């Protein structure tokens, strides 16, 4: 079975597939770019996306058999400890002009789309944040993240930015890394990332059924995803 899956599933995917009875070959990448590969002729049994929109486009075009939501995620901030001031929270950090902000790439990567939605929810203040933020990962021409590194870790420790906006499913691992602090974004501002798979073949339907099973949901929750 061949799967194309959003890069944010990479950490949990091995554990998920260890409990699936069939061998699965998986390629990871930004979901928007993976969708483009399918649209231009690449075949797979299942496409696991970090949003509903990309699978729904494939279904509407008659390329997918069905769309199956299976998990949710949220955003958080990862911050370099050196720039933290007493009383800083997510909003004050994003609106500080002396702090460089990095994000994923909207359009190519759903994380970037959710981040743009966050800026919109911030109202007038979000316009300035959007103008200052730099999309450094998840794009067609973005530099690859080194193997074994998380995007926030690589960007901040590499001196490219002091704040990275990314998925909260990475929060537990990021909190273990020296020099970094993870800050939650409150619900009224924090977009809900809905993960869904496009079932591309009958073989893929078996895997989609597994992803919504109680066992898979437990594994996803333990990895920081929401149900």
């Amino acid at each position: 079975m061949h799967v194309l899956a959003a890069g944010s599933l990479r950490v949990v995917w091995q554990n998920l597939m260890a409990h699936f009875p069939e061998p699965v070959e998986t390629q990871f990448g930004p979901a928007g770019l993976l969708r483009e590969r399918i649209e231009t002729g690449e075949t797979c049994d299942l496409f696991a996306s970090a949003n509903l929109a990309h699978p729904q486009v494939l279904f509407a075009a008659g390329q997918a058999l069905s769309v199956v939501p299976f998990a949710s995620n949220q955003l958080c901030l990862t911050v370099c400890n050196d720039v933290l001031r007493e009383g800083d929270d997510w909003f004050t950090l994003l609106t500080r002009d002396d702090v460089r902000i990095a994000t994923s790439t909207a359009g190519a990567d759903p994380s970037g789309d959710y981040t743009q939605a966050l800026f919109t929810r911030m109202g007038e203040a979000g316009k300035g944040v959007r103008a200052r933020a730099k999309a450094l990962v998840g794009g067609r021409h973005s530099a690859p993240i080194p193997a074994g590194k998380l995007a926030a870790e690589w960007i901040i420790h590499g001196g490219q930015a002091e704040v990275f906006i990314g998925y909260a499913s990475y929060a537990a691992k990021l909190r273990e890394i020296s020099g970094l602090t993870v800050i939650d974004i409150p619900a009224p501002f924090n977009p809900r990332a809905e993960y869904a798979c496009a079932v591309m073949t009958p073989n893929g339907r078996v895997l989609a059924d597994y992803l919504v099973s109680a066992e898979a949901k437990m594994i996803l929750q333990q990895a920081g995803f929401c149900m």
Side-chain angles (χ1 to χ4, degrees), residues 91 118-128 130 189:
F91 191 91
L118 166 67
F119 296 157
T120 298
R121 293 183 182 195
M122 291 176 68
E124 192 66 26
K127 295 179 182 178
R130 178 181 283 118
F189 296 92

Side-chain angles (χ1 to χ4, degrees), residues 132-144:
R132 290 171 35 242
K134 303 297 183 184
L136 298 184
V137 295
R140 197 179 311 278
H141 304 296
S142 299

Side-chain angles (χ1 to χ4, degrees), residues 94-140:
L94 291 183
T95 52
R96 274 175 51 186
D97 290 341
D98 63 323
V99 173
R100 293 174 297 165
I101 302 166
T103 75
S104 194
T105 305
D109 186 346
S111 176
D113 299 322
Y114 295 126
T115 300
Q116 292 301 310
L118 166 67
F119 296 157
T120 298
R121 293 183 182 195
M122 291 176 68
E124 192 66 26
K127 295 179 182 178
V129 183
R130 178 181 283 118
R132 290 171 35 242
K134 303 297 183 184
L136 298 184
V137 295
R140 197 179 311 278

Side-chain angles (χ1 to χ4, degrees), residues 19 24 33 45 67 89 97 115 123 136 143 146 176 179 207 218:
H19 294 81
V24 177
L33 301 184
D45 295 292
V67 175
D89 62 11
D97 290 341
T115 300
L136 298 184
E176 296 173 355
L207 179 53
M218 181 180 68

